[in-house]
Amino acid sequence: MSELMNNSASPRTTASRGRIRRENEARILEAAERVFAETGLAGATMSQIAQAAGLPKANLHYYFGTKEQLYQAVLTAILELWLDATDAMLPESDPALALAGYVRAKMRHSRTRPFASRVFANELLSGAPYLTDYLEIDLKQRVEAKSRIIAGWISEGRMAALDPRHLFFMIWAMTQTYADFAVQIRAVMNVESLDDDAWEEATGEVISFVLRGCGITPAASAP
Amino acid sequence: MSELMNNSASPRTTASRGRIRRENEARILEAAERVFAETGLAGATMSQIAQAAGLPKANLHYYFGTKEQLYQAVLTAILELWLDATDAMLPESDPALALAGYVRAKMRHSRTRPFASRVFANELLSGAPYLTDYLEIDLKQRVEAKSRIIAGWISEGRMAALDPRHLFFMIWAMTQTYADFAVQIRAVMNVESLDDDAWEEATGEVISFVLRGCGITPAASAP
DNA sequence: GTCTATATTTTGATAGAC
DNA sequence: GTCTATCAAAATATAGAC
C-alpha cells in the first residue's frame, strides 16, 4: 500500500494538509493580533483568541504551544512587517521627498495595520520584555544609520538643525497615534471612523507639519 | 461612656482612623497606578497590586471593592490631574509663548507622572471603555474651545494654516511618547534613564519642532 | 489533524478570627 | 480595621476519543 508511511488518518495528500495548516495558522495569527492589540499579552486569554479565530481552544495549543509562544509568533510577524518598510532615505535623496515619503508610509501603515501597531504599543508599555534585542540592536542601528544621513542634510544646510533621533521619536509618535489612539481621534473629530478623505487630510497635515518642523519649505506649487 | 457611638473596636480617635485610611488608600492607588500602567485593567492582578502596595490582598477589596472599582478610582485621579493642566492659551496670548508653555507642561507631566500617562494609553488601546464620556464630552469640548483660539491666531496671520485638532493630536503624541514608550527611547539613546539634561534637551527639541511646524520662528536670541 | 472533556493553576472575592 | 484561610470562577494546558 502506497500510503504506508502516511501517519495521517485522513485521505488528504501531504500538500492539502500543509495548506490547511497554513490557513489555520494564518487565521489564528490574525485573530491573536486583534486580541493582543486590545489588552496585551497578560490581558488576552486563549479563549478570546479561539473565539475570534472560530476554532476550539485546543487547536491554538496544538499549533502554537503556549500563549507566550503564540504571542512571540505574532510579534515576529509584526517586526518583519516593520523592518520591511525599507524607506528610501539616502544621502542623495531630496530631504523633502524622503521625509514626506517616510511619513506617508508610516501613516499608511497605521491605517492598514492598526492592530500590529497596537500590539507593538502594548509591548512597549509593559516594558518590552520580548523586544529587548530588537530595540537595543536592530532599531538602534537603523536609527543611527538614518541619523547620519539626516545629519548630513543638516550640515549641508538643507534642513534645520535638530537631533535626528528625536525627530524619529516624534515622527513615530505622530503617525502611530492615528492607529494606537484612534478611539480618541474619532471622539474628538466626532466620527464613527475615518474615511479615505479624512485619512488623506490627516496625512497631509502631518507631512506639512513635519516638513515645516524640519525647516523645509513645502515644495512651492507654482513659480 | 463617651465612646458609646464609636463602632470601632480600636481605641484610636476618629481623626487617626481617618488618617490611616487615607494613607492606605493612597498607597493602594499609587501601587495600582504602577501595575495598571504596565498591563492595563485586564492584565493586572489584585495580587500584583497588593504586593506592590505591601498590603494583603483582602485590604484592597476592603477599601475599593472590586478590581474595576479600584481601576476607576485610579482613572478618576488621573483625569483630575489631566484637566488641572489648565493651560494658558488665550486669544490674546502670544502663540509662540502659549504653545511652548503647553508643550513644556506636557513634557513635565510625562516626566513626573509617566505611570498616569501609561494607564491612560492602555485605556485608549483597549478602546477606552471607561473613558467614553470623558473623550466625547470633556475632551471634545476643550479641544473645540482651544481650536477656536488657534483658528483666530491663524486668521490673524500669526501662524501657519493647519487644522488645530490635528495639531493637538500631534502634540499629545510627541510629548506622551516620552512617557509611554520610554523603553524604546532609552534603547535608542543607549542610556539607563534620561537625566535632567536629557529631559531638558528633549523638551527643547519638541518645542522647536512644534513652533517651526506651526510656522512660528522661535524668538530670536539677540538683535 | 481535530475537538470534547478534564486536570491544574491562578484569580477575584469573601468569611471570619483577631 | 486588619489579615489568614478559603471558596468559586476562570484561566492555561493536556489527554484521549474520533
Side-chain angles (χ1 to χ4, degrees):
Chain A
M1 184 185 186
S2 63
E3 302 264 322
L4 198 61
M5 301 305 286
N6 189 338
N7 57 6
S8 165
S10 94
R12 296 196 192 101
T13 67
T14 317
S16 75
R17 274 195 290 112
R19 188 176 60 82
I20 289 178
R21 168 175 282 273
R22 272 198 308 280
E23 285 177 0
N24 277 342
E25 285 179 351
R27 282 178 69 175
I28 295 169
L29 283 173
E30 197 256 351
E33 185 178 274
R34 286 210 310 272
V35 175
F36 284 134
E38 269 205 18
T39 48
L41 169 61
T45 73
M46 294 298 267
S47 306
Q48 289 177 313
I49 298 172
Q51 192 171 5
L55 289 171
K57 200 171 51 165
N59 289 30
L60 277 58
H61 289 288
Y62 171 72
Y63 281 115
F64 290 96
T66 69
K67 182 167 87 158
E68 274 73 18
Q69 287 171 324
L70 173 56
Y71 179 69
Q72 283 190 304
V74 170
L75 263 189
T76 301
I78 292 176
L79 285 194
E80 283 172 15
L81 190 80
W82 237 244
L83 300 181
D84 265 3
T86 312
D87 21 64
M89 264 172 49
L90 306 169
E92 60 270 27
S93 307
D94 173 52
L97 289 177
L99 287 168
Y102 184 67
V103 170
R104 185 171 290 281
K106 292 284 296 174
M107 287 296 282
R108 182 160 33 232
H109 184 100
S110 281
R111 182 174 194 188
T112 58
R113 295 296 301 270
F115 300 115
S117 183
R118 284 176 209 152
V119 171
F120 196 81
N122 260 309
E123 171 69 11
L124 292 183
L125 277 171
S126 55
Y130 291 86
L131 283 184
T132 316
D133 283 355
Y134 166 76
L135 293 181
E136 296 184 352
I137 301 175
D138 270 275
L139 185 67
K140 186 168 173 296
Q141 288 182 353
R142 281 161 185 273
V143 170
E144 285 171 357
K146 296 275 161 55
S147 291
R148 279 190 288 272
I149 295 176
I150 293 179
W153 292 341
I154 293 173
S155 68
E156 292 165 6
R158 303 170 76 181
M159 56 180 284
L162 45 71
D163 186 324
R165 295 170 303 177
H166 289 282
L167 174 60
F168 280 109
F169 301 152
M170 291 189 282
I171 291 179
W172 296 338
M174 285 186 281
T175 54
Q176 289 168 18
T177 198
Y178 285 90
D180 300 342
F181 302 152
V183 62
Q184 177 171 249
I185 288 168
R186 289 197 303 268
V188 169
M189 307 273 287
N190 204 25
V191 293
E192 289 278 333
S193 75
L194 295 193
D195 60 15
D196 287 353
D197 289 349
W199 271 100
E200 192 50 46
E201 192 183 308
T203 302
E205 290 280 345
V206 177
I207 289 177
S208 303
F209 191 81
V210 167
L211 291 186
R212 277 196 306 265
C214 288
I216 299 172
T217 312
S221 42
Chain B
M1 187 185 185
S2 64
E3 302 262 326
L4 199 61
M5 301 304 286
N6 189 337
N7 57 8
S8 165
S10 93
R12 295 196 193 101
T13 68
T14 316
S16 74
R17 273 194 291 114
R19 186 178 59 82
I20 289 178
R21 167 175 283 272
R22 271 197 309 281
E23 284 177 0
N24 278 341
E25 285 179 353
R27 281 178 68 176
I28 295 169
L29 284 173
E30 197 255 352
E33 186 178 275
R34 286 209 309 270
V35 175
F36 284 134
E38 270 204 18
T39 49
L41 170 60
T45 74
M46 294 297 267
S47 306
Q48 289 176 314
I49 299 173
Q51 192 171 6
L55 289 171
K57 199 170 52 163
N59 289 31
L60 277 58
H61 290 287
Y62 171 74
Y63 281 115
F64 289 96
T66 69
K67 184 168 87 160
E68 274 72 19
Q69 289 173 323
L70 173 55
Y71 180 69
Q72 284 190 301
V74 170
L75 262 189
T76 301
I78 291 176
L79 285 194
E80 283 173 14
L81 189 79
W82 236 245
L83 299 180
D84 265 4
T86 313
D87 20 62
M89 264 174 45
L90 306 168
E92 60 271 26
S93 306
D94 172 54
L97 288 178
L99 287 168
Y102 184 67
V103 171
R104 184 173 290 281
K106 292 284 297 174
M107 288 295 283
R108 182 159 34 230
H109 183 99
S110 281
R111 182 174 194 189
T112 58
R113 295 295 301 269
F115 299 115
S117 183
R118 285 176 210 153
V119 171
F120 196 82
N122 261 308
E123 172 68 10
L124 292 183
L125 277 172
S126 55
Y130 292 85
L131 283 184
T132 315
D133 284 356
Y134 166 76
L135 293 181
E136 296 183 352
I137 301 174
D138 270 276
L139 185 67
K140 184 169 174 297
Q141 288 183 353
R142 281 160 186 273
V143 169
E144 285 170 358
K146 295 275 162 55
S147 291
R148 280 190 288 274
I149 296 176
I150 292 180
W153 293 341
I154 292 173
S155 66
E156 293 166 6
R158 303 169 76 183
M159 57 181 281
L162 45 73
D163 187 325
R165 295 170 303 177
H166 289 282
L167 174 60
F168 279 109
F169 300 151
M170 292 189 280
I171 290 178
W172 295 338
M174 285 186 280
T175 54
Q176 288 167 19
T177 198
Y178 285 90
D180 300 343
F181 303 152
V183 62
Q184 178 171 245
I185 288 168
R186 289 198 304 267
V188 169
M189 307 274 287
N190 204 23
V191 294
E192 289 280 332
S193 76
L194 296 193
D195 59 17
D196 287 354
D197 289 348
W199 271 100
E200 192 50 45
E201 191 184 308
T203 302
E205 290 280 344
V206 177
I207 290 178
S208 303
F209 191 81
V210 167
L211 292 186
R212 277 196 306 263
C214 289
I216 300 171
T217 312
S221 44

